Amino acid sequence: MTTHRILPPAGPARVLASAQLVNSLGDGAYYVTSALYFTSVVGLAPERVGLGLTLAWAVGSGLGVPLGRLADRRGPRGAAVLFALATSGAVASFLVIRSFWPFLLAVCVYATAQSGLAAARQALLAGLVEPGGRTAVLAHLQSTLNAGLAVGAGIGGLALYSGTRSGYLAVFALDAVSFLVCALVLARLPGVQPVVVERGSALAVLGDRPYALITLLNAVLLLRMPLLSLGIPLWVGERTEAPDWVVSALFVLNTVAVAAFQVRTARGVTSLGTAVGAVRRSGWTLLASCAVFALSAAGVPVWAAVVVLVAGAVVQVAGEMLHSAGSWQIGFGLAPDGRIGEYQGFYGTGVTVARTAGPLLLTALLVTWGVPGWLVLGGLFVGASYAMGPAVRWAGRSRPGNAGSGLRRGPRPRTPYDPAEPGSGARVNGAG
């Protein structure tokens, strides 16, 4: 796994990837230690931590669209820098929080800043990279993200091993500094002209029913995220004879595989047609992984259960990478020019929906139902993946072009990452 396979070519895309790498190092350490920090060090009850995080992400998700709109109107580079600094400040505040209400306020700021940063980054990428190159750049960013998370998780593991207050505090300080450095790196990018919006055109995505349907279908496919972090750990602990350590091994396998192969998987996704095909294949692949996971049910010897779980994880990560590549192309390809931040802010709510509804749904399917639940889950993946094609065609027919959209943006200079044929990217009647 060499640097040139993870990082995109030199230019704005590589700067974006560098910023992603820096903050993912801190995030990886934060993710594996935060729950224990808030319960063991701060002294909050687990139920209150869960409630606070649920409320925070609900608030952050709800504000994702207006914050993305802000990035479009004020310029995505400045917005991205601002949101990275806000995230840094929120994480730094965790170091001094000792009660629930300040915790709730801080995690709401954290989740809101993260949602805004994600939308602003997408708008920034859209302004600096031609449509035909965006999915490839996003694949590099995903690989960079996973590589950073893996290293960061190792750093967090050292804090868990030490079990000391100072170890946890060092992790949070690292995450705060990582977002500060991320802001400095993002500030090096070229500026992208803000959008000039005419009256009556605010938050058009809220009335875009085809795009809303696509976002909902994508949220169903994104159930693969809580499946890895919650569903499979519960399945291993409650329904198999496999040792608990296999959960960590499956997480590492997933992270390393995405870092190594996401770019290669995304190479063939260059249009809405190829994106729909990738999503459809991801549905069948995720169904196959569900069927393999089901074979590890109690009664299977320990060694066989471990082998089956690893095999299921290999198939699952293949489906994950196919879905990611197709989803990126669809989310960008159907967002009108000049509204990338707004539309990506809305598209990103699918992650929150999956993470909010996923725990209850996956617990019912996998822990309560067992093997049949795996097949139902696989059926949901296939159904959503096949419904995506008609939804994308509906969205394409609803886009007569950008004329009259109330948006104007000045000409954008070509960047070093522009593809050789700028018109080869995914466009539907002018949608970027």
Side-chain angles (χ1 to χ4, degrees):
M1 186 165 43
T2 58
T3 302
H4 74 275
R5 290 175 59 186
I6 294 179
L7 294 176
R14 179 168 290 186
V15 177
L16 278 170
S18 300
Q20 183 89 294
L21 177 62
V22 170
N23 76 250
S24 64
L25 287 170
D27 270 349
Y30 169 82
Y31 290 152
V32 300
T33 59
S34 58
L36 287 176
Y37 173 79
F38 291 129
T39 55
S40 302
V41 177
V42 177
L44 299 177
E47 296 79 9
R48 303 200 93 185
V49 173
L51 173 63
L53 292 174
T54 299
L55 292 174
W57 283 111
V59 170
S61 176
L63 292 175
V65 174
L67 291 177
R69 189 70 181 134
L70 176 67
D72 288 332
R73 297 186 64 177
R74 300 299 180 186
R77 182 184 64 177
V81 171
L82 176 63
F83 293 135
L85 291 174
T87 304
S88 176
V91 174
S93 73
F94 294 150
L95 297 170
V96 297
I97 285 173
R98 296 293 178 268
S99 60
F100 176 73
W101 291 110
F103 161 76
L104 179 60
L105 176 60
V107 292
C108 283
V109 173
Y110 173 82
T112 299
Q114 285 279 58
S115 295
L117 178 59
R121 271 176 159 160
Q122 300 294 68
L124 190 55
L125 185 151
L128 295 172
V129 179
E130 287 287 346
R134 291 172 188 166
T135 296
V137 172
L138 283 165
H140 282 291
L141 294 179
Q142 187 75 356
S143 295
T144 304
L145 170 67
N146 278 265
L149 289 176
V151 175
I155 296 172
L158 295 176
L160 293 175
Y161 180 77
S162 71
T164 63
R165 177 187 179 86
S166 60
Y168 285 110
L169 293 179
V171 164
F172 278 76
L174 171 66
D175 196 26
V177 171
S178 75
F179 277 98
L180 178 60
V181 176
C182 170
L184 296 175
V185 174
L186 290 172
R188 295 171 46 206
L189 286 165
V192 174
Q193 285 190 325
V195 174
V196 179
V197 184
E198 297 175 1
R199 291 183 179 181
S201 61
L203 300 182
V205 68
L206 299 181
D208 192 333
R209 289 182 294 174
Y211 202 84
L213 175 59
I214 288 168
T215 300
L216 177 61
L217 294 173
N218 194 54
V220 174
L221 290 164
L222 284 169
L223 287 172
R224 60 176 175 75
M225 298 173 68
L227 176 63
L228 180 65
S229 61
L230 178 72
I232 292 174
L234 289 176
W235 171 259
V236 170
E238 300 291 333
R239 287 281 192 160
T240 78
E241 305 296 334
D244 291 342
W245 58 259
V246 76
V247 172
S248 176
L250 297 181
F251 178 83
V252 172
L253 186 154
N254 178 277
T255 304
V256 172
V258 172
F261 299 110
Q262 181 67 79
V263 174
R264 182 179 302 176
T265 303
R267 282 176 185 165
V269 180
T270 57
S271 66
L272 286 174
T274 54
V276 168
V279 170
R280 188 177 295 126
R281 293 194 302 276
S282 78
W284 285 112
T285 307
L286 291 170
L287 170 61
S289 73
C290 290
V292 175
F293 280 128
L295 297 176
S296 65
V300 176
V302 172
W303 68 268
V306 171
V307 171
V308 170
L309 288 168
V310 170
V314 170
V315 180
Q316 189 270 339
V317 75
E320 173 184 334
M321 290 187 289
L322 282 169
H323 168 243
S324 293
S327 172
W328 296 330
Q329 187 75 33
I330 290 169
F332 268 117
L334 292 172
D337 289 334
R339 294 190 182 272
I340 298 295
E342 176 187 338
Y343 269 66
Q344 287 296 311
F346 184 77
Y347 200 58
T349 61
V351 175
T352 305
V353 171
R355 285 178 169 167
T356 302
L360 181 61
L361 178 63
L362 294 177
T363 300
L365 289 177
L366 307 184
V367 178
T368 304
W369 283 14
V371 172
W374 278 111
L375 301 181
V376 171
L377 179 62
L380 289 175
F381 286 137
V382 172
S385 70
Y386 267 77
M388 189 67 82
V392 168
R393 288 192 291 273
W394 181 27
R397 290 194 299 269
S398 72
R399 282 153 173 73
N402 288 329
S405 66
L407 303 171
R408 302 191 305 274
R409 191 192 293 278
R412 182 183 66 80
R414 290 177 57 83
T415 70
Y417 203 82
D418 288 348
E421 298 179 18
S424 64
R427 286 182 173 268
V428 177
N429 296 328

